[in-house]
Amino acid sequence: MHRLRVIIAIILAGLLIPPPALARGPVTYNVEWAAAWGGATYAAAVQGTTAAVGMGTALALLDVSDAGRPQRFGQVLPLTDFPQRIVFSGEYLYVAADRAGLRIIRVSDDGRMEEVGVYQLPGHAYGVALAGGYAFVAYGEAGLRVLDVSNPSAPAEVGYYDTPGTARDVALAGPYAYVADGDRGLRILDISNPAAPASVGAITLAGQCYSVDAAGSYAYAACGWAGLRVVDVSQPANLREVGYYDSPGTAWDVMVIGPYAYLADGSRGLRVIDVSTPTAPRAVGLYDTPGTAVGLAAGAHMYVADGARGLCIVDISSPASPSELGRWNPLGLASAVALAGRYAYAADANRGLVVLDISSPTAPTPIGFYPGLGDGEDIVVDGGLAYIADGWAGLRILDISQPLTPTLVARMDVPGYAAGLALAGGYIYLAAADAGLRVIHVAEPGNPREVGAYDTPGSARAVAVTGSYALVADGEAGLRVVDIADPGAPAEVAFLDTPGFAEDIALRGTLALVADQQGGVRVVDVSDPLHPREIGAYAAEGLVLGVKAGGGAAFLAKSGPPIFEALDISRPNMPVQAGAYQAWGRAVDLAAAGDYAFLAALDGGLLILRVAPNLRILPIPLYMRNLAP
């Protein structure tokens, strides 16, 4: 399956399903986080005119004093995993950051953020609620954990209750904690003694119980495909489901305000449900957000965490007709990235091509935009043009000579799925998945035309050109060598099986480095293209999805952690790890300039990492040379 469609399916079905087990590799070293731009928003919180939002695996602050024009201010703080729930308390933010645990952050008026406390267990911190100097953390399979946060800089566990399910959320009311416990439904704990929370009642509900809110004698649970379930909690030892609303989407989050329950209903947006009669809840309003509504926060308005479409601010003054006031959505799903001069070009399947000024890599600034890409799988920039392998939308050629206003030059349908490309000698060599290698004449960019093709035996994912040969990363069929001396009649002349799934390829002199997914990195000598031979390999944790090489180093984009690795390949037969950035997510493409690596990390957005100088794969560009290290 194609990488972008796979991750979109995961997000829509439940972003919050964990990827494979955490790799126990080394910690971050020789690499540091420099900046981030965009990424999906899965959680938000509001206090006054400030909103804290998840931005991929980072945290950002927004000034929402003008709801129609939310503006980011202050710094961005890396968290290494996606925020799942955010709670404001005075000058502190409490962030349930999935596998990164509970993070406690001090926020200053000017937008500076300082992490002051961390609590982390193996597993997933999904939800958090505060009361009386304690934080109650819904910690997945570790149940409910009770932390003394009277000193936010030193959170200390004082009690816990190991729920039988997967604790996804917690709401507090009086002496009780209401725990949304996944497939085990709703559980009520007596927390009058925080050191010894005790179960007083439980009820199994249809679906997966992802979120809960409590009001009066009732608890309201967002239960995925089973919609909203209403439970009478007046007698905690004798819980009864008394009503439900079968929403058409996937109910991820719920918030009760007065007689209304607001439901984040996944791909079906924000739904407003009248629960004034709890036994007969009924829908009265809907705002169909353009993304995947997964989280809610209430302030002067309703703030909807809308997945890859960012934060949506909705006017709920008339519950029957909620309407959008404003939106913040810098970059949702970063699927590819390329650099040219002082600009980065990032593909976003939801929004199009985003042009960023990276004169200062630690402060990327969006300056231009082209709407309407397909899947944006790969980008090559050359001579004022951007060539984009655009998935099912084929080949797209944009004029980027004016970075503020990219314009379409041509679009060409191709057989198969445009997954990767290389430009050489007036031709685009396009890896078209099951349709193999396509050769497209682009000497006249406004009139591209296919002149040749070779149907590789696998799924062509990427291509690199050396001399009169195209080296194709051909998925399950490994590395294929195709003679392109006559572009109109490409012919395979050699191949090398790889143990994994050949996803990407990079050249360094006479070496080809193959990103082989579960097969790690394969180092292949192609000095004689007719006889490629593997001379070295690197077994990575996770899937290797992208590779760039130069000098004595190679950079890897991966499913993490680590999401990024730098290899020392000065001895090609023995590549070794020389740097890593430990974060969760899925980086599918990367580019490099000087001391910086730029990662397209899908719902993690565009990550910018600074690597140790000895690991540079390209010289420092002139425009970066005056920057402080």
Side-chain angles (χ1 to χ4, degrees), residues 433-522:
D434 293 342
L437 178 69
R438 322 303 295 190
V439 184
I440 301 168
H441 185 262
V442 291
E444 298 178 28
N447 184 34
R449 55 190 177 86
E450 183 172 288
V451 296
Y454 173 71
D455 189 5
T456 60
S459 178
R461 300 296 305 160
V463 59
V465 174
T466 176
S468 59
Y469 298 95
L471 308 179
V472 181
D474 201 34
E476 65 276 14
L479 176 67
R480 318 306 289 195
V481 182
V482 180
D483 187 335
I484 53 171
D486 178 0
E492 182 174 303
V493 294
F495 70 90
L496 179 75
D497 276 336
T498 60
F501 185 96
E503 178 71 35
D504 195 14
I505 186 168
L507 293 175
R508 196 211 74 174
T510 59
L511 296 178
L513 280 78
V514 179
D516 201 36
Q517 287 205 13
Q518 70 273 27
V521 178
R522 320 310 293 188

Side-chain angles (χ1 to χ4, degrees), residues 195-278:
S199 179
V200 293
I203 184 172
T204 299
L205 301 171
Q208 291 276 340
C209 194
Y210 290 123
S211 175
V212 62
D213 200 4
S217 298
Y218 298 93
Y220 301 83
C223 289
W225 61 263
L228 178 71
R229 320 303 286 195
V230 184
V231 179
D232 184 337
V233 296
S234 58
Q235 299 179 51
N238 183 29
L239 303 180
R240 295 183 303 117
E241 183 176 324
V242 296
Y244 70 91
Y245 170 73
D246 188 7
S247 65
T250 301
W252 284 110
D253 198 9
V254 61
M255 181 170 287
V256 178
I257 303 174
Y260 299 103
Y262 295 84
L263 197 67
D265 202 31
S267 61
R268 304 305 290 268
L270 175 68
R271 309 194 82 83
V272 185
I273 302 163
D274 185 339
V275 291
S276 55
T277 303

